[in-house]
Amino acid sequence: LAIGGVVGVGVGAYVLTRPSVKSSIARALFTRRANPRVAVAAARGAPQSGLSVVPSRYPQIRRDDSVVERLHGVTVADPYRWLEDPDSEETRKFVDAQNKLTNEVLGECETREKFRDLFTSLYDYPKYGTPFKHGARYYYYYNSGLQQHYVLYSQPSLKAEATVLLDPNTLSKDGTVALKDISFSEDGKHMSYSLSSGGSDWAHIQVMSIDGKGVGTQLPDKLEFVKFSSMAWTHDGKGFFYNRYPDRKAAGPDVDLGTETDINTDQMLYYHVLGTPQSEDTLVLALPDHPTWMTGASVTDDGRYMLLYVSEGCLPANRIWYVDLAALDKKPDGSINFKAYDFKTGGKKLPIVKLVDNYDASYDYVANDGTLFYLKTNLKAPRYRVVKVDLQAAGPPSSWTDLIPQHDKDVLKSAVAVKGDNLVVRYLRDVRGTLQLRQLSSGALLKEFTLPGVGSVTGFSGDRKYSEFFFSFTSFVEPGATYRVDLESGSGEPELFRRTELKVTHKPEEYETKQVFVPSKDGTRIPMFITHRKGIQLDGSNPTLLYGYGGFNISLEPGFSPSRLAFMRGYNGVYAQANLRGGGEYGIEWRNAGSKENKQNVFDDFQACAEFLISERYCSPAKLSIQGGSNGGLLVTACANQRPDLFSCVIGQVGVLDMLRFHKFTIGHAWCTDFGNPDIVSEFEYILPYSPLHNVRVPQDGSRQYPAILLTTGDHDDRVVPLHSFKLIAELQHVLASGAQPDAPAAQRNPLLIRVEVRAGHGAGKPTQKIIDEAADTYGFAAKCMQAKWVA
């Protein structure tokens, strides 16, 4: 489409033209409120990969050219909007046809089964979670190797025999029912737990009692319509707080939630009393004037206060309110009479004190001594600090006293109080984990624990009731180990509790990891870890996988991955992990530098890292694949649009790809704090030029084709709904492979594919077999595209 009939620049779902001053129509169009940057086609196309698909093999997809909108004065076509209906027969046929083609092409990837076998053998090792303690018992998660899900075990002491408390593998035949979260009562005699089905974010909560021998008995309590929920028990053990959404009127008791795309609003906080039906639960808090706000509850270590966290979107900021539970009315048995304060039916108003009632910063509870509270915050501290405030004379947050001031460079990631005057603090130092012990009362540094190399603290458990705590440490090539520290009876130093060992022979010393700092387009130094076997030749011939995310204040730390180890081992590959702006690696300023109007920085950072790998001769464009999921799916597909010449293969998993409509589905509205809101003209202007769906254009020169692309999604992904991937693959196939453009005959031979998983969601809770299947397909596809040879 071209605005006003004037010949446009490139081909895509929207086109801006530069008007002639003689054209009154064009002049009128360009007086519109929005004036986004014109996105032009890439200068050069991608190298030809090792896979080829002729255009005639692609399914015929209906293109509805009647769906055209005028957004802020810009004409935007949406010819595949019909794919937004996940339950229509036409959408189902689309999925079947696309999966059929994808399976046929994957069958041409001759190393796929070799990778599957190697990956399976590397994945098949005993996996232990970090131990934690509740009441008189210890708990930990364990997977013997290839179990579909981790099993929750319990033991009375660290040396005693452990018994199974909850095994999610028994809850479904196909492994698609997963354990999402657990929460224990203060005395450890009850555990609430949430279960999801098919990878959906929807969950239901159940409860079990736990006897003195650690035997669990499921109770009849069952809470429905739960999503993005906290679970916090009152210390009397009578019940717990949780979050839910309104009943889905059309949904029956057995409806399989997760495929719908309805927007999620009006989250509520309830209190459930054990042994009562959900219909009798008390509505503690609703925010009808702010339907997109979300809430969460926790109870302080001493059980006196309920803390309410109120957030809007994914901004690293929240309001923090509290309720003095000791001041509430009691029932004859001494438990709190929450019914008296029901938001709709109660005769009394819940006495909420709004300690902070704005979104200027984030506040997280660390500990309290009576009314003296310790909070972690980023208020005037983009790398975070810990402050203290007395509730009896709180004053404004700007007046609160530092306990641990912001560090000059390192980012404070967490602070956990343990027994005595002790505070365990975790920092990120140039994307490497560090762990310190500090004095809670003064914040003074007591010691920094020695950690075993370049890696990250992947698990931590500690509690103010106990002097011991546990943490796990891992790196790119070692599954790592768990350490125990006892500040009373032990040495006070980390002692090896359990080392994780692979079943197959693996020598970590044969690999090396180095961190480089790559100058981005604007000169900002971008950290990137590069891992590979020692002794590789830097001659541009190494198959290389570059992974990135760059958003939502999330830090990509070093971590062990059997699939990436299989890639390095099977293909003698290079794995690179880029720490892009938008993430949390250097605090809020780093996050802000890659969010909203600065989002293009993230793509520039990633492309600079790709150019570095090529210039330093790790690989060539023909040997470079890029991978990203969710926000990272947006990253890699945007980079495919902007710089197709840099890559052989693009793996985009569960990506956010329609940037003009993402906020209209499920929880997408919460992402406006990172992406911007396309309904606002000034934000639309910077969103449109990078939106993957709206910027697919035939490259101007060279091969005039895109890299090989494999999008992956799940039919139960109700976080990033699959319509994003559906619409983009349809657009890619139309623009690049249909030959529909007279000035751009179809040169595309690199495959443009989508893999749609059935009864799978955004990733959390995915069973082991589906993990293995997806890894075999994606890595086998990438290897074939890069023409990587099998060397294992």
Side-chain angles (χ1 to χ4, degrees), residues 27 33 62 75 96 119 221 258 271 301 330 354 493 533 548 568 585 605 791:
R27 281 200 304 274
R33 291 168 59 203
R62 180 171 67 88
T75 300
D96 290 343
F119 174 49
D221 305 62
Y271 183 78
D301 292 338
K330 304 298 189 297
K354 298 182 177 181
E493 294 293 334
R533 285 184 186 269
M568 291 186 283
E585 289 87 348
D605 295 351
V791 299

Side-chain angles (χ1 to χ4, degrees), residues 327-370:
L328 300 184
D329 291 353
K330 304 298 189 297
K331 298 178 182 178
D333 65 358
S335 63
I336 299 171
N337 183 18
F338 283 107
K339 277 294 183 184
Y341 303 93
D342 188 284
F343 186 83
K344 291 182 178 179
T345 63
K348 295 185 176 183
K349 185 177 181 180
L350 190 68
I352 296 174
V353 179
K354 298 182 177 181
L355 184 63
V356 179
D357 198 28
N358 58 54
Y359 290 123
D360 291 346
S362 69
Y363 301 88
D364 291 303
Y365 171 78
V366 175
N368 71 296
D369 289 313

Side-chain angles (χ1 to χ4, degrees), residues 678-694:
D679 291 342
I680 299 173
V681 61
S682 60
E683 300 182 6
F684 170 88
E685 288 184 333
Y686 61 72
I687 294 171
L688 182 58
Y690 74 75
S691 175
L693 178 62
H694 302 94

Side-chain angles (χ1 to χ4, degrees), residues 12-330:
Y14 89 100
V15 178
L16 294 182
T17 62
R18 293 304 183 192
S20 163
V21 293
K22 296 180 180 179
S23 168
S24 60
I25 296 176
R27 281 200 304 274
L29 288 169
F30 271 76
T31 60
R32 63 189 179 279
R33 291 168 59 203
N35 187 24
R37 175 178 59 82
V38 175
V40 299
R44 295 185 61 80
Q48 177 58 50
S49 75
L51 279 170
S52 181
V53 174
V54 295
S56 61
R57 293 181 67 185
Y58 290 107
Q60 295 298 307
I61 307 169
R62 180 171 67 88
R63 187 174 173 88
D64 186 354
D65 291 320
S66 69
V67 183
V68 179
E69 293 180 324
R70 194 85 165 160
L71 301 178
H72 310 298
V74 177
T75 300
V76 180
D78 196 3
Y80 301 112
R81 185 166 294 182
W82 57 270
L83 284 168
E84 292 181 359
D85 181 357
D87 299 318
S88 74
E89 184 63 25
E90 192 173 16
T91 299
R92 291 193 182 101
K93 289 180 178 179
F94 167 87
V95 170
D96 290 343
Q98 293 289 346
N99 273 343
K100 181 176 182 292
L101 173 62
T102 298
N103 289 331
E104 289 173 357
V105 177
L106 289 174
E108 301 173 29
C109 304
E110 60 271 6
T111 66
R112 181 173 59 144
E113 293 309 311
K114 294 179 181 178
F115 181 91
R116 181 194 303 276
D117 291 343
L118 176 59
F119 174 49
T120 301
S121 67
L122 291 172
Y123 199 86
D124 184 12
Y125 67 93
K127 306 171 187 68
Y128 290 89
T130 307
F132 52 96
K133 191 174 185 180
H134 284 285
R137 300 185 70 84
Y138 292 90
Y139 298 88
Y140 64 90
Y141 290 99
Y142 173 71
N143 189 311
S144 62
L146 296 177
Q147 290 177 281
Q148 299 285 38
H149 297 285
Y150 280 74
V151 179
L152 180 60
Y153 282 82
S154 166
Q155 56 189 155
S157 69
L158 293 175
K159 295 183 179 180
E161 182 180 356
T163 56
V164 173
L165 179 64
L166 179 60
D167 183 358
N169 298 291
T170 65
L171 302 179
S172 61
K173 292 182 179 180
D174 61 358
T176 56
V177 172
L179 177 63
K180 289 177 68 74
D181 196 12
I182 62 174
S183 179
F184 286 86
S185 61
E186 179 67 10
D187 59 10
K189 293 181 179 179
H190 290 93
M191 182 185 78
S192 57
Y193 58 99
S194 59
L195 301 172
S196 67
S197 178
S200 171
D201 280 330
W202 287 109
H204 68 266
I205 295 175
Q206 296 181 226
V207 183
M208 67 167 54
S209 62
I210 305 170
D211 66 18
K213 296 182 179 180
V215 177
T217 301
Q218 185 171 313
L219 302 180
D221 305 62
K222 187 174 183 180
L223 314 179
E224 301 282 3
F225 305 113
V226 174
K227 205 175 196 183
F228 313 122
S229 180
S230 53
M231 287 191 291
W233 288 76
T234 48
H235 279 208
D236 58 10
K238 300 293 185 179
F240 55 89
F241 302 100
Y242 72 99
N243 298 91
R244 59 161 293 180
Y245 283 86
D247 288 10
R248 299 187 58 80
K249 302 296 184 184
D254 299 318
V255 168
D256 183 20
L257 295 176
T259 61
E260 77 289 340
T261 62
D262 311 34
I263 192 168
N264 298 143
T265 57
D266 300 301
Q267 190 193 51
M268 300 167 286
L269 181 71
Y270 276 82
Y271 183 78
H272 174 71
V273 176
L274 285 184
T276 63
Q278 187 176 18
S279 59
E280 295 182 10
D281 289 354
T282 299
L283 177 57
V284 175
L285 180 66
L287 299 168
D289 295 335
H290 303 283
T292 61
W293 288 13
M294 300 175 70
T295 61
S298 67
V299 175
T300 54
D301 292 338
D302 59 7
R304 177 171 176 177
Y305 298 95
M306 173 182 67
L307 300 179
L308 293 166
Y309 300 91
V310 182
S311 61
E312 182 176 27
C314 298
L315 196 70
N318 60 274
R319 299 164 190 251
I320 185 167
W321 307 340
Y322 70 88
V323 175
D324 185 351
L325 298 176
L328 300 184
D329 291 353
K330 304 298 189 297

